[in-house]
Amino acid sequence: ANEERVIGVLLGDAGRSMEAEFSRLAEAFSAGFRLRPLKAGEDVPEDVDVLFVIGNKDLKDFDLFPVDQYIMKGGRALFAVDGVRMDLLRGLLARKLEANPTLDMLASYGVTVKRELALDKYCQNFRLPTQLFGQIMWQVLEKYPYWITIAGQNVAKDNPITAHFSGLDLYWASPLEFNIKGETRAEVLVRTTPDGWTVNEEPFDTNPQQAQMFIYMDHPNKGAIPLAASLTGPLTSYFQGKSIPKREGEKREWREIVGSVKDARIIVVGDSDFASDLIEFTEARYNLTFLTNAAEWLGNSE
């Protein structure tokens, strides 16, 4: 089919906007796709082929109900979400997202995004943009193990999303864990090298000046850590058996809950920043290729 596919984009962190943080994403999807920004809590329009939920800090149950119901009616979705939120404006302060409905919903589907950060020896340099005579120059610091660069041997060989893999950089990613029920299938798409490890103690030490030291230390919990996965098959609604969420002052009411879907297709990535303009910092245009491949795979009915 040659008609344009519509990708709905729901940003789950208040204060982030398509214009300011996701301009590269919008450019990448200009051919063959149309990006349609969605407001939190609004129904996902019928013509949306694929839904991207990017960020999860501020989504409440009310905002997630239309997302869950879109999936239950056969909609396909990608979640780029954080278990630990980075505050880029406040010296890379990292905080666990304790109570978080989006993460609860994904856990109910079978994928837990842990409130931890993954690190890897196989990583990018930390680069800071500095202005010099109106030119942007990059100040290159040392290796930064929180900026994981994914090697070709650590992706799913047979999945169309990663079969012709050109690269992927993840920034402060959280590891995934699986609790799959029944006939649902989980496939790990992306993992760290076997030299990956995780940290879960607050305060997280994310300081780029010191972080390269971690590469030379021993880590008891070393291994290949899953960072992105697909779920296919039957899923049950997160709202099954619950009351339909309401919002103060909201006139519209949902009347019913679609309780399950036979052949869902969703992708979960434990990082929201990899879809943002942060890709400029590591020249990770290939992140956009991963996202367009993901959209293709989600949108196909094979």
Side-chain angles (χ1 to χ4, degrees), residues 43 62 65 244-246 250-256:
D43 286 318
F62 186 90
F65 185 76
I244 294 179
K246 294 180 166 39
E250 184 68 48
K251 295 278 185 289
R252 183 196 51 196
E253 274 192 68
W254 294 298
R255 304 241 172 253
E256 55 160 7

Side-chain angles (χ1 to χ4, degrees), residues 68-69 72 235-241 256-261:
D68 170 272
Q69 291 295 283
M72 293 307 128
L235 285 184
T236 303
S237 168
Y238 173 56
F239 294 94
Q240 176 78 344
E256 55 160 7
I257 297 174
V258 179
S260 64
V261 60

Side-chain angles (χ1 to χ4, degrees), residues 1-8 26-36 46-50 295-296 299:
N2 291 331
E3 73 272 18
E4 246 186 352
R5 299 215 193 126
V6 178
I7 298 181
E27 284 166 26
F29 278 103
S30 53
F33 292 96
R34 189 157 57 80
L35 281 194
R36 181 160 175 182
E46 298 274 306
D47 67 344
V48 167
D49 296 295
V50 175
E296 289 280 2

Side-chain angles (χ1 to χ4, degrees), residues 105-113 176-188 226 228-236 264 266-268:
M105 181 172 88
L106 292 174
S108 84
Y109 296 161
V111 183
T112 300
V113 180
L176 307 182
E177 236 177 34
F178 305 96
N179 170 28
I180 302 298
K181 304 178 218 22
E183 290 171 18
T184 312
R185 289 176 310 285
E187 181 179 17
V188 176
S230 65
L231 279 192
T232 48
L235 285 184
T236 303
I266 66 175
I267 294 170
V268 179

Side-chain angles (χ1 to χ4, degrees), residues 271-293:
D271 172 27
S272 70
D273 291 310
F274 91 101
S276 78
D277 292 351
L278 256 183
I279 62 170
E280 293 293 311
F281 284 56
T282 63
E283 293 172 15
R285 306 289 302 181
Y286 39 67
N287 282 16
L288 302 173
T289 308
F290 176 88
L291 284 160
T292 45
N293 288 350

Side-chain angles (χ1 to χ4, degrees), residues 100-122:
N100 191 265
T102 309
L103 298 187
D104 296 344
M105 181 172 88
L106 292 174
S108 84
Y109 296 161
V111 183
T112 300
V113 180
K114 299 179 79 174
R115 272 76 163 180
E116 301 177 358
L117 288 174
L119 299 86
D120 200 335
K121 285 185 181 175
Y122 199 69

